[in-house]
Amino acid sequence: MKKACPYCGAVHDKEFICPKKPQGKYHQRSELSKADVFRGSYEWKCKREHIMKRDLYLCVACRHKLTGTIRQFNNEDLSVHHIRPLITNYELRLDDNNLITLCRNHHEMAEKGEISAEKLLKILPEHPPGGEIFNI
C-alpha cells in the first residue's frame, strides 16, 4: 500500500522511511543519556512525588528566605532538584538527602551555582522520627 509522504510530498510505500523525515534529539533511544532515561522513569516520578510531599509542596529555598525569594510559602512552578548533579553523581539519583523541592527561580539559581550545594544541604528538610512523612 502506498501513501503520500508528509515530509517530501512524494508517494511512498507505507513502510518506507523518508530521508526528509526530521531526526529530532529524542527520536532514537540510543542517543539518550542514562540521566535522560532515568528522568522519564516511573521510579523517578514516584521519588519526585515523595520528595515534594516531604517538602510540603513548597520551595524549601523560599521557606528559608534565600536570595531570590519573592514569597516565603511558594507552591508555584516546583521541581525536584538533585543537589549533587545527576551527571556526576548518578548513584545518588534516588537519595532523599540529595533531593530538594525548589521553585523555578531557585532551581535556575542552583543550576547556575548561585546557590551552593552546601547551602542547599544545610536547609534540606530532615525526616520526622521513624522516617515517616507526616500528614497535614
Side-chain angles (χ1 to χ4, degrees):
M1 174 174 209
K2 296 189 180 223
K3 66 179 194 172
C5 177
Y7 307 108
C8 71
V11 177
H12 303 296
D13 183 67
K14 122 178 172 180
E15 302 299 319
F16 180 79
I17 298 172
C18 181
K20 293 199 175 184
K21 181 178 179 180
Q23 295 297 315
K25 182 179 177 184
Y26 298 106
H27 278 81
Q28 294 183 5
R29 192 103 177 129
S30 63
E31 292 178 16
L32 293 175
S33 71
K34 195 159 62 165
D36 290 331
V37 172
F38 167 71
R39 283 188 189 101
S41 72
Y42 177 75
E43 189 177 33
W44 170 240
K45 289 174 185 164
C46 291
K47 178 56 82 169
R48 188 174 60 211
E49 181 62 26
H50 168 79
I51 296 300
M52 284 195 184
K53 185 175 181 180
R54 177 199 70 188
D55 297 345
L56 307 175
Y57 298 93
L58 294 169
C59 173
V60 177
C62 287
R63 282 182 23 216
H64 284 85
K65 299 180 183 175
L66 295 188
T67 303
T69 298
I70 296 169
R71 68 171 188 251
Q72 187 176 9
F73 299 105
N74 185 1
N75 64 350
E76 294 180 9
D77 211 2
L78 300 175
S79 60
V80 175
H81 175 66
H82 286 88
I83 298 171
R84 292 176 209 88
L86 188 59
I87 301 274
T88 56
N89 296 277
Y90 188 77
E91 70 282 359
L92 299 176
R93 69 192 174 280
L94 295 171
D95 184 347
D96 287 10
N97 296 316
N98 187 46
L99 299 167
I100 190 168
T101 303
L102 297 175
C103 64
R104 177 189 302 239
N105 183 46
H106 284 119
H107 197 169
E108 288 174 4
M109 291 174 72
E111 290 291 334
K112 292 177 188 172
E114 294 171 10
I115 301 174
S116 70
E118 292 74 26
K119 184 170 266 192
L120 291 173
L121 288 168
K122 284 181 186 173
I123 65 169
L124 191 64
E126 296 195 16
H127 293 283
E132 293 296 317
I133 303 293
F134 53 92
N135 293 320
I136 296 177

